[in-house]
Amino acid sequence: MTGGRDKLIDLLRRAGLEVVGDWRIEEVLPPQAAWRRVISGGAKPTVAVREDLPDLVAELNAQWHRLAASNGIIGDGGVFLIDVAGAWTGCVPRRWIRLRLTGQLDLAGVLGERAGQPEFVTLATDGSTLIGVTTEEDEVWFTVLDHLAEHQEATARRLMALQNGLDAFASAGVNIPEGVRQNLGGRARL
């Protein structure tokens, strides 16, 4: 599977990025979960840029850099994490790629199906904040989500409360449908 990985590394270099370190599993929100938050029906863009702007790619690159710098995405030494939409990994689970900015930045010109149609998510190395960049019908959306650990903790508490409620029903002899049990990891008892 190194062909896809090599192609992705070349793409990232052309975007003005350098891979830093090995491809390890980061102790942060997985890329798939980050994408879900960015593309969910309830996601609202922090910034929307119309696709008919004269110098679209330069504007998109400037918007990403401004948002990344002001929201703590870019860490010490210019390092951050990225996941790029595409079939780069085949059947291998996707992992964040640790990167550093170098030279001329061209994320919007390179990291998409076409120049000016970027599709990627970036994450602070501590996992606190992400920026999703997606191409919509006639705009490019920049969706900033912060305080991710707090949101994850709140979601975990809600799921645990739901699970505890289902366990109480199950203990009282209420039949919990199979689909509900499976969605909650099979913990509800019959």
Side-chain angles (χ1 to χ4, degrees):
M1 296 278 174
T2 60
R5 180 176 161 170
D6 291 343
K7 186 176 178 181
L8 179 56
I9 289 172
D10 180 57
L11 187 74
L12 294 169
R13 282 188 192 123
R14 288 189 287 126
L17 304 169
E18 172 190 6
V19 175
V20 178
D22 58 358
W23 288 45
R24 62 180 184 231
I25 296 175
E26 301 285 343
E27 297 295 324
V28 294
L29 184 72
Q32 296 88 337
W35 277 108
R36 277 193 302 275
R37 290 173 185 239
V38 168
I39 64 174
S40 74
K44 301 290 183 227
T46 305
V47 173
V49 178
R50 294 203 43 87
E51 285 187 328
D52 59 1
L53 283 180
D55 199 5
L56 178 63
V57 170
E59 176 64 21
L60 296 174
N61 286 326
Q63 286 291 347
W64 178 84
H65 192 268
R66 180 185 65 76
L67 289 169
S70 65
N71 287 284
I73 297 291
I74 303 171
D76 293 339
V79 176
F80 61 97
L81 305 174
I82 195 167
D83 186 65
V84 180
W88 308 109
T89 60
C91 295
V92 176
R94 291 168 77 137
R95 295 184 179 152
W96 289 107
I97 304 166
R98 187 175 283 259
L99 301 166
R100 175 181 301 122
L101 296 174
T102 64
Q104 184 66 29
L105 181 67
D106 191 17
L107 303 179
V110 177
L111 302 182
E113 193 172 305
R114 290 193 300 256
Q117 295 184 342
E119 296 283 342
F120 62 91
V121 290
T122 53
L123 184 72
T125 57
D126 66 1
S128 62
T129 306
L130 74 83
I131 299 175
V133 182
T134 57
T135 301
E136 303 304 325
E137 288 184 29
D138 58 357
E139 297 178 320
V140 175
W141 285 9
F142 295 82
T143 305
V144 177
L145 301 171
D146 57 4
H147 307 290
L148 292 176
E150 294 166 24
H151 293 296
Q152 284 180 278
E153 181 63 30
T155 299
R157 281 194 301 273
R158 285 192 302 272
L159 286 174
M160 185 57 78
L162 179 59
Q163 179 63 53
N164 290 340
L166 287 174
D167 285 348
F169 278 116
S171 295
V174 175
N175 185 22
I176 306 298
E178 181 67 25
V180 172
R181 285 196 316 262
Q182 288 177 348
N183 285 336
L184 292 172
R187 289 187 43 205
R189 293 179 299 274
L190 289 176

XYZ file of all heavy atoms in Angstrom, residues 96-172:
591
model
N -4.097 10.141 11.221
C -3.668 11.523 11.049
C -2.226 11.529 10.549
O -1.436 10.669 10.916
C -3.731 12.280 12.375
C -5.119 12.548 12.851
C -5.750 11.934 13.891
C -6.043 13.488 12.315
N -7.008 12.440 14.036
C -7.218 13.405 13.083
C -5.993 14.403 11.263
C -8.335 14.202 12.840
C -7.105 15.191 11.021
C -8.257 15.089 11.798
N -1.907 12.529 9.757
C -0.534 12.734 9.302
C -0.030 13.995 9.983
O -0.668 15.048 9.918
C -0.476 12.906 7.767
C -1.121 11.702 7.093
C 0.967 13.099 7.307
C -1.423 11.934 5.627
N 1.101 13.865 10.654
C 1.716 14.996 11.364
C 2.563 15.772 10.355
O 3.434 15.214 9.705
C 2.573 14.472 12.509
C 3.126 15.530 13.423
C 3.854 14.874 14.589
N 2.881 14.376 15.554
C 2.574 15.009 16.678
N 3.182 16.129 17.002
N 1.681 14.506 17.499
N 2.279 17.092 10.243
C 2.906 17.922 9.215
C 3.463 19.218 9.782
O 3.089 19.645 10.864
C 1.865 18.312 8.155
C 1.179 17.194 7.414
C -0.022 17.733 6.679
C 2.145 16.556 6.454
N 4.285 19.834 8.959
C 4.812 21.169 9.256
C 4.672 22.000 7.983
O 4.880 21.508 6.877
C 6.283 21.084 9.646
C 6.945 22.422 9.854
C 8.421 22.308 10.230
N 8.577 21.544 11.443
C 9.293 20.426 11.558
N 9.936 19.934 10.523
N 9.394 19.788 12.702
N 4.321 23.266 8.158
C 4.262 24.190 7.029
C 5.669 24.460 6.531
O 6.596 24.628 7.316
C 3.634 25.523 7.456
C 2.183 25.496 7.917
C 1.790 26.867 8.435
C 1.274 25.076 6.780
N 5.822 24.508 5.217
C 7.104 24.874 4.612
C 6.819 25.755 3.415
O 5.842 25.554 2.705
C 7.886 23.641 4.113
O 7.145 23.029 3.064
C 8.144 22.641 5.221
N 7.645 26.715 3.187
C 7.565 27.511 1.961
C 6.185 27.996 1.596
O 5.409 28.435 2.433
N 5.878 27.883 0.307
C 4.622 28.390 -0.246
C 3.458 27.456 0.062
O 3.439 26.314 -0.367
C 4.774 28.568 -1.762
C 3.571 29.175 -2.443
C 3.314 30.606 -2.019
O 4.237 31.335 -1.658
N 2.059 31.016 -2.027
N 2.467 27.961 0.774
C 1.286 27.190 1.148
C 0.310 27.128 -0.029
O -0.025 28.152 -0.613
C 0.614 27.865 2.351
C -0.632 27.230 2.924
C -0.283 25.890 3.544
C -1.255 28.141 3.950
N -0.142 25.928 -0.392
C -1.119 25.773 -1.471
C -2.078 24.623 -1.175
O -2.308 23.757 -2.022
C -0.420 25.564 -2.819
C -1.402 25.681 -3.985
O -2.508 26.233 -3.786
O -1.077 25.200 -5.076
N -2.655 24.615 0.011
C -3.596 23.559 0.377
C -4.802 23.550 -0.554
O -5.227 22.501 -1.026
C -4.060 23.730 1.823
C -2.989 23.763 2.916
C -3.632 23.962 4.274
C -2.150 22.528 2.883
N -5.353 24.727 -0.832
C -6.572 24.820 -1.640
C -6.327 24.531 -3.110
O -7.247 24.158 -3.829
C -7.199 26.206 -1.485
N -5.103 24.664 -3.554
C -4.798 24.389 -4.943
C -4.488 22.932 -5.216
O -4.553 22.483 -6.360
N -4.164 22.177 -4.160
C -3.662 20.809 -4.345
C -4.525 19.749 -3.655
O -4.677 18.650 -4.184
C -2.198 20.717 -3.834
C -1.672 19.307 -3.949
C -1.301 21.686 -4.593
N -5.091 20.053 -2.495
C -5.760 19.028 -1.678
C -7.260 18.921 -1.961
O -8.102 19.106 -1.090
C -5.520 19.305 -0.192
C -4.063 19.364 0.242
C -3.968 19.606 1.742
C -3.317 18.112 -0.160
N -7.570 18.619 -3.204
C -8.956 18.428 -3.607
C -9.017 17.836 -4.990
O -7.990 17.608 -5.630
N -10.242 17.605 -5.427
C -10.422 17.032 -6.757
C -9.862 17.951 -7.841
O -9.288 17.496 -8.821
C -11.912 16.785 -6.994
C -12.207 15.917 -8.182
C -13.684 15.558 -8.253
O -14.212 15.018 -7.261
O -14.280 15.835 -9.308
N -10.057 19.262 -7.646
C -9.508 20.278 -8.553
C -9.047 21.458 -7.716
O -9.455 21.635 -6.565
C -10.592 20.758 -9.520
C -11.003 19.736 -10.542
C -11.845 20.353 -11.653
N -13.074 20.971 -11.161
C -14.280 20.427 -11.281
N -14.414 19.256 -11.848
N -15.326 21.051 -10.839
N -8.210 22.296 -8.312
C -7.771 23.517 -7.632
C -9.005 24.339 -7.258
O -9.924 24.501 -8.061
C -6.846 24.323 -8.534
N -9.031 24.814 -6.020
C -10.163 25.599 -5.543
C -11.316 24.779 -5.010
O -12.348 25.334 -4.631
N -11.151 23.457 -4.947
C -12.181 22.582 -4.385
C -11.568 21.664 -3.325
O -11.585 20.446 -3.445
C -12.838 21.756 -5.492
C -13.607 22.581 -6.476
C -14.336 21.733 -7.506
O -14.037 20.566 -7.699
N -15.305 22.335 -8.153
N -11.022 22.262 -2.273
C -10.322 21.462 -1.250
C -11.272 20.609 -0.423
O -12.428 20.959 -0.223
C -9.650 22.525 -0.385
C -10.521 23.730 -0.539
C -11.049 23.682 -1.946
N -10.728 19.491 0.067
C -11.451 18.568 0.951
C -10.450 17.987 1.934
O -9.746 17.034 1.622
C -12.105 17.438 0.144
C -13.185 17.875 -0.820
C -14.517 18.188 -0.157
O -14.738 17.746 1.001
O -15.324 18.872 -0.790
N -10.339 18.589 3.122
C -9.420 18.087 4.132
C -9.837 18.587 5.503
O -10.612 19.536 5.619
C -7.967 18.495 3.823
C -7.725 19.980 3.798
C -7.340 20.665 4.945
C -7.854 20.706 2.623
C -7.108 22.036 4.925
C -7.617 22.070 2.583
C -7.241 22.737 3.739
N -9.353 17.897 6.528
C -9.528 18.355 7.905
C -8.154 18.473 8.547
O -7.265 17.658 8.288
C -10.440 17.428 8.755
C -11.873 17.517 8.302
C -9.970 16.009 8.737
N -7.995 19.513 9.342
C -6.756 19.713 10.094
C -7.107 19.763 11.571
O -8.190 20.203 11.951
C -6.035 21.000 9.664
O -6.940 22.116 9.734
C -5.499 20.879 8.243
N -6.166 19.297 12.395
C -6.399 19.179 13.825
C -5.162 19.636 14.575
O -4.031 19.336 14.167
C -6.700 17.715 14.172
C -7.066 17.363 15.595
C -8.474 17.861 15.944
C -7.000 15.854 15.802
N -5.369 20.356 15.672
C -4.251 20.694 16.551
C -3.658 19.410 17.097
O -4.383 18.429 17.319
C -4.732 21.595 17.694
N -2.356 19.380 17.329
C -1.708 18.144 17.790
C -2.217 17.693 19.160
O -2.125 16.516 19.478
C -0.176 18.285 17.826
O 0.166 19.394 18.662
C 0.386 18.487 16.429
N -2.778 18.617 19.951
C -3.343 18.214 21.241
C -4.803 17.774 21.113
O -5.438 17.404 22.099
C -3.206 19.340 22.267
C -4.033 20.577 21.941
O -4.758 20.585 20.908
O -3.956 21.551 22.714
N -5.336 17.825 19.886
C -6.697 17.363 19.640
C -7.784 18.326 20.068
O -8.960 17.988 20.027
N -7.432 19.540 20.446
C -8.413 20.467 21.002
C -9.308 21.129 19.969
O -10.466 21.440 20.256
C -7.700 21.551 21.811
O -6.840 22.294 20.957
N -8.799 21.360 18.773
C -9.527 22.139 17.777
C -9.293 21.554 16.395
O -8.188 21.108 16.087
C -9.048 23.607 17.791
O -9.153 24.125 19.118
C -9.861 24.479 16.856
N -10.333 21.586 15.566
C -10.166 21.141 14.187
C -10.778 22.154 13.237
O -11.664 22.921 13.604
C -10.736 19.748 13.964
C -12.235 19.514 13.887
C -12.778 19.795 12.495
C -12.544 18.076 14.232
N -10.267 22.130 12.012
C -10.853 22.904 10.917
C -11.123 21.927 9.784
O -10.208 21.264 9.302
C -9.918 24.018 10.408
C -9.606 25.019 11.514
C -10.550 24.738 9.205
C -8.597 26.078 11.107
N -12.369 21.871 9.381
C -12.744 21.087 8.215
C -12.930 22.020 7.035
O -13.570 23.067 7.166
N -12.354 21.646 5.907
C -12.477 22.454 4.693
C -13.171 21.577 3.659
O -12.641 20.531 3.264
C -11.099 22.923 4.185
C -11.266 23.810 2.955
C -10.341 23.658 5.285
N -14.371 21.984 3.259
C -15.173 21.183 2.342
C -15.729 22.053 1.223
O -16.024 23.229 1.425
C -16.341 20.499 3.075
O -17.145 21.497 3.722
C -15.849 19.501 4.104
N -15.863 21.440 0.064
C -16.440 22.130 -1.082
C -17.920 21.792 -1.145
O -18.293 20.620 -1.230
C -15.727 21.697 -2.376
O -14.339 22.010 -2.242
C -16.297 22.413 -3.584
N -18.739 22.824 -1.089
C -20.189 22.652 -1.155
C -20.657 23.076 -2.549
O -19.839 23.242 -3.443
C -20.851 23.461 -0.040
C -20.354 23.104 1.356
C -20.497 21.644 1.731
O -21.494 21.009 1.310
O -19.631 21.109 2.434
N -21.948 23.268 -2.758
C -22.482 23.550 -4.092
C -21.789 24.724 -4.783
O -21.331 24.597 -5.901
C -23.979 23.784 -4.023
C -24.751 22.503 -3.771
C -26.239 22.722 -3.794
O -26.711 23.639 -4.493
O -26.921 21.966 -3.096
N -21.749 25.873 -4.144
C -21.125 27.037 -4.771
C -20.222 27.798 -3.800
O -19.909 28.961 -4.012
C -22.182 27.972 -5.367
C -23.188 28.466 -4.326
O -23.096 28.033 -3.156
O -24.064 29.278 -4.676
N -19.802 27.109 -2.750
C -18.951 27.718 -1.730
C -17.955 26.690 -1.208
O -18.170 25.491 -1.332
C -19.784 28.200 -0.532
C -20.777 29.271 -0.838
C -21.594 29.653 0.392
O -21.984 28.763 1.176
O -21.843 30.858 0.556
N -16.915 27.202 -0.599
C -16.003 26.362 0.182
C -16.225 26.747 1.628
O -16.184 27.931 1.985
C -14.535 26.579 -0.240
C -13.600 25.787 0.669
C -14.334 26.158 -1.697
N -16.506 25.742 2.446
C -16.778 25.970 3.860
C -15.551 25.659 4.696
O -14.882 24.643 4.499
C -17.913 25.084 4.339
C -19.277 25.492 3.903
C -19.609 26.458 2.987
C -20.509 24.941 4.359
N -20.967 26.532 2.852
C -21.547 25.614 3.684
C -20.824 23.942 5.262
C -22.881 25.318 3.900
C -22.152 23.642 5.479
C -23.169 24.331 4.807
N -15.313 26.536 5.672
C -14.313 26.326 6.712
C -15.096 26.185 8.008
O -15.725 27.140 8.460
C -13.360 27.521 6.814
C -12.512 27.718 5.594
C -13.007 28.389 4.482
C -11.211 27.234 5.556
C -12.229 28.570 3.351
C -10.425 27.417 4.431
C -10.936 28.084 3.329
N -15.084 25.002 8.570
C -15.833 24.737 9.799
C -14.844 24.531 10.933
O -14.061 23.579 10.918
C -16.722 23.490 9.625
O -17.554 23.686 8.473
C -17.580 23.257 10.846
N -14.866 25.439 11.887
C -13.973 25.359 13.050
C -14.758 24.767 14.209
O -15.845 25.248 14.540
C -13.425 26.754 13.443
C -12.565 26.663 14.699
C -12.652 27.383 12.292
N -14.229 23.722 14.800
C -14.818 23.100 15.979
C -13.750 23.090 17.067
O -12.664 22.547 16.864
C -15.288 21.688 15.665
C -16.333 21.580 14.549
C -16.557 20.135 14.172
C -17.627 22.235 14.973
N -14.078 23.693 18.205
C -13.094 23.750 19.282
C -13.623 23.060 20.531
O -14.740 22.562 20.546
C -12.686 25.197 19.571
C -13.877 26.084 19.924
O -15.020 25.578 20.017
O -13.676 27.292 20.083
N -12.797 22.990 21.538
C -13.143 22.322 22.807
C -13.595 20.886 22.561
O -14.557 20.405 23.160
C -14.215 23.098 23.575
C -13.881 24.542 23.805
N -12.889 24.931 24.665
C -14.371 25.673 23.251
C -12.796 26.250 24.660
N -13.680 26.723 23.797
N -12.907 20.183 21.662
C -13.323 18.828 21.281
C -13.330 17.856 22.450
O -14.230 17.025 22.556
C -12.437 18.302 20.160
C -12.593 19.015 18.818
C -11.593 18.484 17.812
C -14.009 18.877 18.300
N -12.337 17.938 23.329
C -12.293 17.014 24.472
C -13.522 17.207 25.361
O -14.106 16.227 25.830
C -11.014 17.218 25.270
N -13.927 18.450 25.557
C -15.115 18.720 26.375
C -16.370 18.157 25.708
O -17.228 17.578 26.375
C -15.262 20.222 26.597
C -14.143 20.813 27.429
C -14.115 22.328 27.357
O -15.158 22.951 27.077
O -13.027 22.888 27.598
N -16.478 18.313 24.384
C -17.621 17.763 23.655
C -17.630 16.244 23.726
O -18.684 15.632 23.898
C -17.606 18.218 22.194
C -17.844 19.680 22.010
N -19.029 20.291 22.351
C -17.048 20.652 21.528
C -18.954 21.574 22.097
N -17.756 21.827 21.586
N -16.450 15.618 23.588
C -16.370 14.163 23.673
C -16.783 13.674 25.055
O -17.487 12.683 25.190
C -14.949 13.683 23.358
C -14.619 13.714 21.891
C -13.208 13.232 21.650
O -12.257 13.985 21.801
N -13.080 11.978 21.279
N -16.340 14.364 26.084
C -16.686 13.982 27.452
C -18.193 14.108 27.682
O -18.817 13.217 28.271
C -15.920 14.838 28.459
C -16.193 14.504 29.908
C -15.773 13.093 30.295
O -14.823 12.557 29.704
O -16.411 12.522 31.200
N -18.788 15.196 27.201
C -20.229 15.383 27.360
C -21.000 14.297 26.612
O -21.986 13.762 27.132
C -20.634 16.768 26.855
N -20.555 13.955 25.411
C -21.203 12.891 24.648
C -21.077 11.555 25.380
O -22.041 10.787 25.462
C -20.594 12.793 23.237
O -20.808 14.034 22.572
C -21.205 11.662 22.448
N -19.904 11.277 25.917
C -19.696 10.030 26.655
C -20.616 9.969 27.880
O -21.188 8.908 28.179
C -18.231 9.898 27.073
N -20.774 11.099 28.572
C -21.674 11.132 29.745
C -23.127 10.867 29.326
O -23.843 10.127 29.998
C -21.559 12.462 30.475
C -20.343 12.569 31.379
C -20.444 13.750 32.342
N -20.585 15.017 31.673
C -19.571 15.776 31.241
N -18.344 15.377 31.421
N -19.807 16.928 30.645
N -23.551 11.475 28.208
C -24.922 11.253 27.730
C -25.132 9.790 27.343
O -26.163 9.200 27.657
C -25.232 12.177 26.548
C -25.481 13.627 26.956
C -26.071 14.453 25.830
N -25.259 14.476 24.630
C -24.279 15.331 24.376
N -23.977 16.255 25.264
N -23.615 15.280 23.237
N -24.159 9.203 26.656
C -24.277 7.794 26.271
C -24.297 6.882 27.491
O -25.040 5.898 27.521
C -23.145 7.401 25.326
C -23.259 7.936 23.897
C -22.000 7.606 23.112
C -24.488 7.375 23.214
N -23.487 7.200 28.485
C -23.468 6.393 29.706
C -24.801 6.502 30.438
O -25.329 5.487 30.923
C -22.328 6.833 30.630
C -22.197 5.943 31.860
S -21.945 4.197 31.471
C -20.243 4.218 31.049
N -25.371 7.697 30.481
C -26.680 7.860 31.113
C -27.746 7.076 30.363
O -28.597 6.413 30.967
C -27.055 9.342 31.179
N -27.687 7.125 29.035
C -28.625 6.359 28.229
C -28.447 4.866 28.486
O -29.420 4.135 28.667
C -28.428 6.673 26.745
C -29.319 5.925 25.765
C -30.788 6.196 26.044
C -28.956 6.317 24.341
N -27.204 4.418 28.512
C -26.926 3.001 28.763
C -27.439 2.586 30.140
O -28.056 1.531 30.293
C -25.431 2.717 28.666
C -25.068 1.275 28.949
C -25.670 0.316 27.946
O -25.485 0.501 26.755
N -26.377 -0.685 28.421
N -27.195 3.434 31.146
C -27.672 3.116 32.496
C -29.189 3.033 32.540
O -29.754 2.161 33.210
C -27.151 4.141 33.503
C -25.664 4.020 33.734
O -25.060 2.973 33.461
N -25.047 5.095 34.193
N -29.859 3.912 31.800
C -31.317 3.868 31.732
C -31.804 2.591 31.069
O -32.752 1.953 31.537
N -31.146 2.201 29.983
C -31.515 0.950 29.313
C -31.251 -0.251 30.204
O -32.044 -1.200 30.227
C -30.755 0.808 27.989
C -31.222 1.721 26.861
C -30.294 1.585 25.662
C -32.656 1.416 26.474
N -30.129 -0.231 30.944
C -29.834 -1.329 31.872
C -30.931 -1.438 32.935
O -31.340 -2.539 33.307
C -28.473 -1.119 32.539
C -27.296 -1.421 31.614
O -27.514 -2.009 30.531
O -26.160 -1.062 31.976
N -31.421 -0.274 33.403
C -32.486 -0.291 34.416
C -33.757 -0.908 33.842
O -34.423 -1.716 34.487
C -32.754 1.120 34.925
N -34.098 -0.520 32.598
C -35.267 -1.124 31.958
C -35.078 -2.624 31.786
O -35.984 -3.418 32.045
C -35.529 -0.487 30.579
C -36.280 0.811 30.640
C -35.671 1.982 30.218
C -37.579 0.858 31.110
C -36.364 3.180 30.266
C -38.278 2.046 31.159
C -37.669 3.223 30.734
N -33.904 -3.019 31.321
C -33.633 -4.447 31.096
C -33.719 -5.218 32.406
O -34.245 -6.336 32.446
C -32.259 -4.631 30.442
N -33.202 -4.629 33.492
C -33.269 -5.282 34.807
C -34.706 -5.453 35.278
O -35.021 -6.382 36.018
C -32.494 -4.461 35.839
O -31.131 -4.455 35.522
N -35.567 -4.564 34.832
C -36.981 -4.645 35.211
C -37.752 -5.584 34.294
O -38.964 -5.698 34.395
C -37.604 -3.259 35.178
